Structures are given as structure tokens and as C-alpha cells.
Amino acid sequence: KAGVTQTPRYLIKTRGQQVTLSCSPISGHRSVSWYQQTPGQGLQFLFEYFSETQRNKGNFPGRFSGRQFSNSRSEMNVSTLELGDSALYLCASRKSDTEAFFGQGTRLTVV
Amino acid sequence: AQSVTQPDIHITVSEGASLELRCNYSYGATPYLFWYVQSPGQGLQLLLKYFSGDTLVQGIKGFEAEFKRSQSSFNLRKPSVHWSDAAEYFCAVGAQGAQKLVFGQGTRLTINP
């Protein structure tokens, strides 16, 4: 059974640009969550989608947004990139109120 | 508000020695508790979870954890570590299961040969 797939694995962007990250959950999992991991702030919850609806949102500015498609795949978008957005972005999928399975992450570097 | 504290930022143990990583949580209701492991540049791998029932839970790779409600703790243990256990370990608490996980700052484990 394939795990959570995140693409791309690495990205380099310039300040002010926007970026879109993609996440394909485990087959049958309808919930997708996104987390940001930085050395200073650790792992922080961004948002969660279930059946194409955002169900939970973390404390991040509106530049961070996401969506989920009917096949449960999810995308995360960050607009007007700042240097501080450099991080490992992790996607996790769940079947229900059970454990979350994480992908390998997308390493975003903003220069 | 939920919070998780991992008091030890970095721990070094010798190969073959026993290991205990500490985790304390703050949560108003019965928590869902998790331990994840992360190797450099990789995602998080679930080691074990506690939802309810037996307070001693077994996980993968020979790890176990004990939920102690009176101490608000969920410490991770392994009787004998292997060099391949070197990684960063994260304790997490979830509301309504794993909908929104709050993570500790992590404990980096180094293994001496």
C-alpha cells in the first residue's frame, strides 16, 4: 500500500513569489493535514481538510491556504513568500479519528 | 490549551543501553497520545499510540510507552538501543484523535558505539 506522497521534495523560491505544494494521501484516507517544521518553532499545525472542507486551521497568516480535491488529494499554497517561510512542510493523512501517517515532506527554501 | 513538553533536547546513550524519553502533556480531556520518530531529512514515522485501555502500549522497533494520567506523562522506553535508533523523537497530543496534533519540541537521540 503506497504511503503519503508529497511533491516536490525540494523547492527553492524567491521572496515575494508564491508556491504550491501537493500531497496525495494513502488510498481510502479522507483527511489530510499540513504541518510546518522549522528549527525555531518546531512542528506546527497549519490546517486540516476532510471531504474537500477545511475542518481545522492553525495560527498562520492568510498567505497560507489549502484545498482538497474530490479524490482527497490536497494542495497547499503560500503567497508572497517570506524568508521565514523556509521550512519542511509535512502532509499527513488519516482514515478517521485514528493515527496520522506522514509523508516525506517538501523542503522549501526561500532566498 | 494543549501543550507537550519534552524536557530533554538531546540525549546520548551507548548502544545496548536502555532508553527512556520523557514527555509531559497538558490537555483537559482524555488525550490521544503519540510518539513519532524522524530521521534527518525525512518525514515522521509513527512508533506507537495511546487512545484508551491498557496504559502500557507496545510499538514498532521494540519501543513501548506508558501513559500515567496522574503525572500527565507518556514516556517512551526501549530496553536496548541500536545504532539505527539515532534520530529525533517527537511526542504529540491530539484532540479528537489525530485531527490536530500538538507536538513537543523533540528529543535528539545520539547512540555511542
Side-chain angles (χ1 to χ4, degrees):
Chain A
K1 195 173 189 181
V4 178
T5 304
Q6 291 189 246
T7 56
R9 288 294 309 278
Y10 303 93
L11 267 179
I12 299 177
K13 290 287 187 178
T14 304
R15 273 180 301 174
Q17 287 186 314
Q18 75 164 16
V19 68
T20 300
L21 312 183
S22 180
C23 173
S24 293
I26 294 171
S27 177
H29 288 197
R30 297 167 62 190
S31 166
V32 173
S33 300
W34 290 89
Y35 292 81
Q36 181 196 64
Q37 185 177 26
T38 60
Q41 299 299 314
L43 280 152
Q44 294 185 286
F45 172 79
L46 279 156
F47 30 64
E48 186 220 4
Y49 286 87
F50 181 83
S51 292
E52 303 179 63
T53 301
Q54 188 180 88
R55 196 159 63 169
N56 282 293
K57 190 177 191 305
N59 188 26
F60 278 82
R63 299 186 297 107
F64 292 82
S65 63
R67 59 178 177 169
Q68 186 179 34
F69 302 95
S70 58
N71 62 357
S72 295
R73 191 177 70 84
S74 177
E75 288 182 346
M76 189 192 106
N77 186 76
V78 188
S79 63
T80 320
L81 284 165
E82 301 176 359
L83 295 179
D85 296 332
S86 295
L88 180 67
Y89 289 88
L90 292 163
C91 168
S93 77
R94 295 185 298 114
K95 192 171 185 179
S96 59
D97 283 340
T98 59
E99 63 268 28
F101 296 91
F102 284 81
Q104 296 285 72
T106 294
R107 171 74 61 185
L108 172 65
T109 302
V110 182
V111 298
Chain B
Q2 305 159 70
S3 67
V4 177
T5 301
Q6 293 180 245
D8 305 304
I9 296 174
H10 184 204
I11 284 182
T12 300
V13 299
S14 298
E15 190 167 15
S18 63
L19 171 71
E20 182 168 29
L21 302 183
R22 296 182 292 164
C23 172
N24 291 97
Y25 67 90
S26 173
Y27 184 60
T30 300
Y32 288 65
L33 294 160
F34 308 86
W35 275 99
Y36 286 88
V37 61
Q38 185 178 40
S39 297
Q42 301 298 310
L44 301 173
Q45 181 182 25
L46 179 68
L47 286 176
L48 46 78
K49 61 185 184 287
Y50 173 78
F51 289 166
S52 64
D54 192 348
T55 56
L56 183 64
V57 293
Q58 303 295 322
I60 62 171
K61 303 185 180 186
F63 285 93
E64 67 177 27
E66 186 170 13
F67 170 60
K68 293 185 177 180
R69 183 186 300 276
S70 61
Q71 298 176 21
S72 297
S73 70
F74 188 56
N75 294 349
L76 182 71
R77 300 194 293 251
K78 186 170 185 177
S80 176
V81 297
H82 185 261
W83 64 265
S84 59
D85 293 325
E88 188 141 23
Y89 291 79
F90 293 92
C91 180
V93 64
Q96 296 174 273
Q99 279 189 26
K100 174 183 175 181
L101 296 176
V102 174
F103 286 88
Q105 285 296 96
T107 298
R108 184 161 61 94
L109 176 64
T110 299
I111 309 294
N112 280 337

